[in-house]
Each structure stands twice: as C-alpha cells, then as structure tokens.
Amino acid sequence: MAKMWVRRVVIGVSCAPLVLVSVLHTMGRSGDFGVLGRWYVLTGLAVAGFLAWGLVERAIGWATRPGE
C-alpha cells in the first residue's frame, strides 16, 4: 500500500515543472509580461515544456511498470 502512495507522489511531483512552464508560456503569449513575450524566451519555454512532458512520461512509466 505504501508503494502506491509513493508512486502517486512521484507522478504528482513530476507534473510540477510542466505546470510551471505552461503558466510562464501562457503569460508570455498574453503580451502583458515584458520579456516573457520575446521569441527567445518562448522558444526556451517550449523546449522546457517538451522536457517536462518527457519527465511526466518517465514517471508514469516507472509507476506503472509491470511485474511489481
């Protein structure tokens, strides 16, 4: 039972970077937040979003691996 909670916590924590990057990217696209709207910042945030999504996929893969 404790392993189930650890797996859920790992998945939840792995979502935090994706949430942060998504919020910053949305703020940049709105145009009200200065440098966040620059192309070089938005490109970096997009790349960080892809990496954060990969982290979520790895965490889910670890938490749902068969045989345990």
Side-chain angles (χ1 to χ4, degrees):
M1 187 65 156
K3 286 186 178 183
M4 174 94 52
W5 284 105
V6 170
R7 291 177 181 197
R8 289 179 182 171
V9 168
V10 166
I11 291 172
V13 169
S14 72
C15 291
L18 184 62
V19 170
L20 177 67
V21 168
S22 298
V23 168
L24 290 175
H25 197 270
T26 302
M27 288 169 61
R29 287 186 296 139
S30 73
D32 296 334
F33 295 95
V35 74
L36 279 177
R38 302 286 184 188
W39 70 268
Y40 49 87
V41 176
L42 288 175
T43 302
L45 288 172
V47 170
F50 287 122
L51 295 174
W53 182 253
L55 178 65
V56 172
E57 287 182 344
R58 284 184 182 208
I60 291 172
W62 174 80
T64 59
R65 63 184 173 207
E68 288 193 21

